[in-house]
Amino acid sequence: MHIAMALLLPPSTTTTNLATVSCNPLLSSSSQLTTYRWSQTRRVTPKNLCNTSTNDDQPTPQKIHIETKKLDRRNMLLGLGGLYGAATTLSGRYVTLAAPTAPDVSQCGPSILDNGKTLYCCPPKPSSQAMDFKLPKISPYDLRIRPAAHLVDDKYLEKYSKALALMKALPNSDPRSFKQQANVHCAYCNGGYHQVGLPDLDFQVHGSWLFFPFHRAYLYFYEKILGKLIDDPNFGIPYWNWDHPDGMVMPSMFNDPKSPFFDPIRDQTHLPPKVMDLTYDGPLVQPYNNNNMSNNDQIALNLTIMYRQMVSNAKKPTMFLGEPYRAGDQPNPGSGSMETQPHGTVHTWTGNPPPNTPSWEDMGVFYSAGRDPIFYAHHAQVDRTWSIWKSLSPKNKDFKDKDFLNTYFYFYDENAKLVKIYVRDCLDTKKMGYIYQPMDLPWLKSRPIPRLHLKSLKSSFSKVKNAVAAEITVPTITFPKALDHIIRTNLQKPQKSRSKPEKYEEEEILVIEVESRHDLYSKFDVYVNDEDEIPTRENRARTEYAGSYVNVPHKHHNKQGDNGNNLMMKTTMKLGLTDLIEDLGADDDEGIDVIFVPRTGTENLVIKDVRIEFLC
């Protein structure tokens, strides 16, 4: 696209004279420059930086004050070397800039596919400059309602079918066409754009705090285009209600070969009435994989997974929304709980795995996922979980960081006009003009329990503790370690017997740094204090299961001119321990045993580091 560079500049902002980091989950100030680096292996974390004082005038040792000068952020970045700054370390790596990242849509390039071929999925060139997005003025009575896909009636299906058929009938040169709408995901998620002013760094919306707002904006314009095509401004797209037992099959509306919702490139073994697996490992035969669960057991597992990802693993914003992603950052700093699973697992569960397709097309790989109409129902459900999460606890709030709020994306609207939309415009569905059809949340009552009831567990443990300790010793492993087999390690806990106020204020978390291939579907499980030699899939319904690492295949360029051949990606995952340790009755234990179980695509995966921290 040829867009005036002035349009691509970030807004001019100023920083305060004194920034106080006090129980800040991001542990950074918007006025700092911090280098991108990996932490060294360590077993016990340093003292946390949470503020235990309620008087800001009386700092405690846990409080950090950062003196900054008032300056224009844009001027600072320009002074560092070009638009958004081309500042690098002496080793040639970019530093993390104190500014929102953004896509350079004037330089959209081809995406690299798994077979080495290139795919040009850039949108058509605009006929005019981009407009700033403005929130619609809508009364509460005019909100669009997005229905649950398994509950829609024939009248709705007729309307949606007509709208999608009209979208598919638009010429490919029209940015509103279905092909171009699918290309949006390809361009933003598979190396089509680089960061403004940083041509060696991809702009990637997955694996960070941009995941939720980008996809919300994406679906907003997709929905508005459909409504415009049928002259119905109140039209709302459906959501795939896979967090409810009634929605845990592929919705029937997407399985009619004669309808525009149909995509033949799906896993044919997962068509209705197959109950979906929100922890899907993939069809590849691995030594530690099995799947002998009944439908009822699978549904029960799905519900506990929803509880784990929406509650236990989502106590803090970074745990649910993802890691900060600023100008100069490498892609994929860290996904939030819901993006990892079920978002990632549903993608691959729906897509057609190799060798049936080259790279798990359509849904199971980012470049082609938008070609399947079910993608938009899947992401409507993901978007819905963001709103649900914020309703579950007063602590569940969006980031207030300016670098988050001032990140922006470009989309074509229902009138084929290019629009620039900021993250700050995407935080409230009601302000954007839509809500979701209410449904029960049965997973709220599905908190996992230990494999042995807690009381009997404590009783048995007290009798055999010494005998077991004499026979079983889990060593402390030195990382990095390749995950080509089950790894067991013991981690010393930084603190024992925490009080309820301490647990409420600070979440004890397991931090795992991972290096893996970004072009492969890879997955491993993490268990705590599980005594099985090989923890099974059924164990995922129990407290001992802490969570999983999941990577949906995609491509990006790590270095200028590498053509996507540098396939390794570094990222971080965070798993909640507070509920887990409490439910296992392990509050007074000196440490915990952590078990990594490879499931799929871990041949080249490395656990760089694992440690316990406290997150405010």
Side-chain angles (χ1 to χ4, degrees):
M1 297 181 189
H2 300 290
I3 302 175
M5 291 303 292
L7 287 171
L8 305 180
L9 285 170
S12 176
T13 59
T14 58
T15 59
T16 57
N17 289 327
L18 180 66
T20 301
V21 178
S22 172
C23 206
N24 182 355
L26 307 183
L27 296 181
S28 65
S29 167
S30 60
S31 61
Q32 291 177 286
L33 291 179
T34 56
T35 58
Y36 177 91
R37 64 180 179 84
W38 284 90
S39 301
Q40 298 297 315
T41 301
R42 54 191 182 277
R43 295 291 149 238
V44 183
T45 63
K47 185 179 292 184
N48 65 62
L49 301 179
C50 303
N51 176 26
T52 56
S53 171
T54 57
N55 186 346
D56 287 344
D57 295 328
Q58 300 296 324
T60 68
Q62 287 88 8
K63 179 176 286 188
I64 297 177
H65 295 282
I66 303 170
E67 295 287 350
T68 63
K69 295 181 179 180
K70 188 174 293 186
L71 49 83
D72 184 289
R73 181 181 301 170
R74 179 169 53 186
N75 290 339
M76 177 187 72
L77 296 173
L78 289 170
L80 288 174
L83 183 62
Y84 259 48
T88 61
T89 65
L90 293 177
S91 63
R93 302 180 71 181
Y94 284 107
V95 299
T96 300
L97 303 178
T101 184
D104 187 348
V105 295
S106 68
Q107 299 295 325
C108 184
S111 292
I112 309 299
L113 303 187
D114 197 47
N115 57 11
K117 296 182 179 180
T118 58
L119 175 66
Y120 192 81
C121 50
C122 299
K125 296 179 180 179
S127 58
S128 60
Q129 295 182 344
M131 306 179 298
D132 281 341
F133 175 78
K134 295 182 179 179
L135 288 169
K137 296 181 179 180
I138 299 178
S139 74
Y141 304 101
D142 293 328
L143 294 174
R144 301 188 302 281
I145 299 177
R146 293 182 176 177
H150 69 284
L151 295 178
V152 298
D153 56 22
D154 290 341
K155 183 178 180 180
Y156 176 87
L157 280 176
E158 181 180 358
K159 182 181 295 186
Y160 188 18
S161 179
K162 179 181 178 181
L164 189 56
L166 289 171
M167 177 182 278
K168 288 188 171 185
L170 292 173
N172 291 339
S173 59
D174 191 323
R176 304 171 301 164
S177 69
F178 186 75
K179 179 179 179 179
Q180 294 299 338
Q181 289 299 299
N183 279 348
V184 169
H185 201 257
C186 173
Y188 273 98
C189 313
N190 211 69
Y193 298 129
H194 62 70
Q195 298 179 31
V196 172
L198 301 171
D200 289 352
L201 286 176
D202 277 7
F203 180 80
Q204 169 61 261
V205 296
H206 292 86
S208 75
W209 63 9
L210 297 187
F211 170 75
F212 279 104
F214 167 81
H215 287 89
R216 175 169 287 180
Y218 180 16
L219 265 61
Y220 173 88
F221 291 105
Y222 174 80
E223 182 176 74
K224 293 288 286 183
I225 293 169
L226 290 171
K228 176 78 171 184
L229 291 172
I230 56 174
D231 195 26
D232 182 359
N234 292 319
F235 175 77
I237 60 175
Y239 68 94
W240 183 359
N241 191 203
W242 37 249
D243 68 325
H244 191 283
D246 294 345
M248 290 180 185
V249 295
M250 197 175 295
S252 59
M253 63 184 292
F254 294 100
N255 293 293
D256 180 2
K258 298 180 180 179
S259 79
F261 312 124
F262 185 73
D263 184 350
I265 310 180
R266 296 182 187 141
D267 192 326
Q268 298 302 297
T269 66
H270 291 165
L271 301 180
K274 178 71 173 180
V275 175
M276 65 194 309
D277 178 6
L278 297 187
T279 69
Y280 182 56
D281 290 330
L284 303 179
V285 177
Q286 297 284 343
Y288 313 121
N289 290 1
N290 62 75
N291 188 4
N292 301 315
M293 301 184 74
S294 68
N295 285 348
N296 288 338
D297 287 343
Q298 183 64 67
I299 290 172
L301 171 59
N302 289 343
L303 293 176
T304 61
I305 292 301
M306 286 300 303
Y307 183 94
R308 175 72 75 194
Q309 301 302 83
M310 291 290 290
V311 182
S312 300
N313 279 337
K315 295 287 187 70
K316 303 295 180 180
T318 53
M319 297 176 69
F320 181 77
L321 297 172
E323 293 294 316
Y325 181 45
R326 311 176 197 274
D329 279 339
Q330 293 285 342
N332 305 102
S335 301
S337 58
M338 182 55 56
E339 180 184 357
T340 300
Q341 181 176 270
H343 160 259
T345 47
V346 173
H347 263 283
T348 48
W349 187 87
T350 309
N352 203 357
N356 302 327
T357 62
S359 304
W360 227 299
E361 286 83 356
D362 275 334
M363 270 282 283
V365 59
F366 284 160
Y367 89 84
S368 62
R371 298 176 181 178
D372 189 338
I374 206 172
F375 167 91
Y376 305 93
H378 170 46
H379 268 279
Q381 163 70 354
V382 172
D383 180 67
R384 173 175 171 261
T385 66
W386 184 10
S387 298
I388 293 172
W389 175 75
K390 288 190 283 188
S391 73
L392 297 180
S393 168
K395 298 189 301 179
N396 295 352
K397 298 179 180 179
D398 295 318
F399 297 110
K400 295 181 180 180
D401 191 300
K402 291 182 179 180
D403 295 343
F404 173 71
L405 299 175
N406 290 334
T407 297
Y408 53 87
F409 320 104
Y410 291 95
F411 298 95
Y412 281 94
D413 68 7
E414 65 272 25
N415 299 311
K417 301 296 185 182
L418 190 66
V419 177
K420 178 182 180 181
I421 183 170
Y422 288 86
V423 167
R424 61 176 180 260
D425 297 322
C426 305
L427 304 181
D428 189 330
T429 67
K430 291 182 179 179
K431 290 183 179 179
M432 296 181 77
Y434 70 92
I435 56 175
Y436 288 96
Q437 178 184 4
M439 287 289 294
D440 294 336
L441 305 175
W443 45 265
L444 281 175
K445 299 179 180 179
S446 296
R447 180 168 176 163
I449 60 174
R451 293 176 59 199
L452 296 174
H453 191 274
L454 186 57
K455 290 183 179 180
S456 62
L457 181 68
K458 288 182 176 179
S459 176
S460 300
F461 184 75
S462 64
K463 295 178 182 179
V464 301
K465 180 177 181 180
N466 293 333
V468 171
E471 295 181 9
I472 301 176
T473 300
V474 177
T476 297
I477 302 296
T478 300
F479 292 91
K481 282 286 185 182
L483 190 57
D484 52 7
H485 62 282
I486 290 179
I487 296 176
R488 295 174 181 269
T489 188
N490 181 269
L491 295 182
Q492 183 180 348
K493 292 166 56 182
Q495 182 179 342
K496 298 196 315 180
S497 304
R498 295 198 300 146
S499 66
K500 287 186 177 181
E502 286 177 320
K503 291 179 180 180
Y504 181 83
E505 179 69 18
E506 305 166 6
E507 176 66 14
E508 193 166 2
I509 61 172
L510 191 66
V511 181
I512 305 167
E513 294 179 356
V514 181
E515 184 175 68
S516 67
R517 285 182 56 168
H518 52 72
D519 65 323
L520 296 179
Y521 179 54
S522 52
K523 184 175 184 290
F524 65 81
D525 292 345
V526 182
Y527 297 83
V528 172
N529 290 1
D530 194 301
E531 296 181 358
D532 279 0
E533 181 179 356
I534 302 177
T536 66
R537 294 183 68 260
E538 288 79 1
N539 290 20
R540 293 174 186 161
R542 300 303 184 186
T543 301
E544 288 83 352
Y545 172 69
S548 293
Y549 170 85
V550 177
N551 178 66
V552 178
H554 62 287
K555 289 276 192 175
H556 59 74
H557 312 87
N558 289 352
K559 298 177 182 178
Q560 186 175 18
D562 74 353
N563 295 322
N565 294 321
N566 190 345
L567 302 176
M568 301 309 292
M569 170 187 74
K570 293 179 181 179
T571 190
T572 301
M573 66 181 297
K574 295 176 178 177
L575 303 175
L577 291 177
T578 300
D579 288 353
L580 186 151
I581 288 175
E582 183 176 283
D583 291 350
L584 289 179
D587 278 308
D588 295 329
D589 291 356
E590 296 287 343
I592 59 173
D593 295 338
V594 179
I595 305 99
F596 299 97
V597 183
R599 297 298 185 187
T600 301
T602 61
E603 294 81 5
N604 299 290
L605 189 146
V606 176
I607 305 295
K608 302 288 289 185
D609 187 30
V610 56
R611 59 188 181 271
I612 298 174
E613 292 182 351
F614 292 118
L615 187 63
C616 302

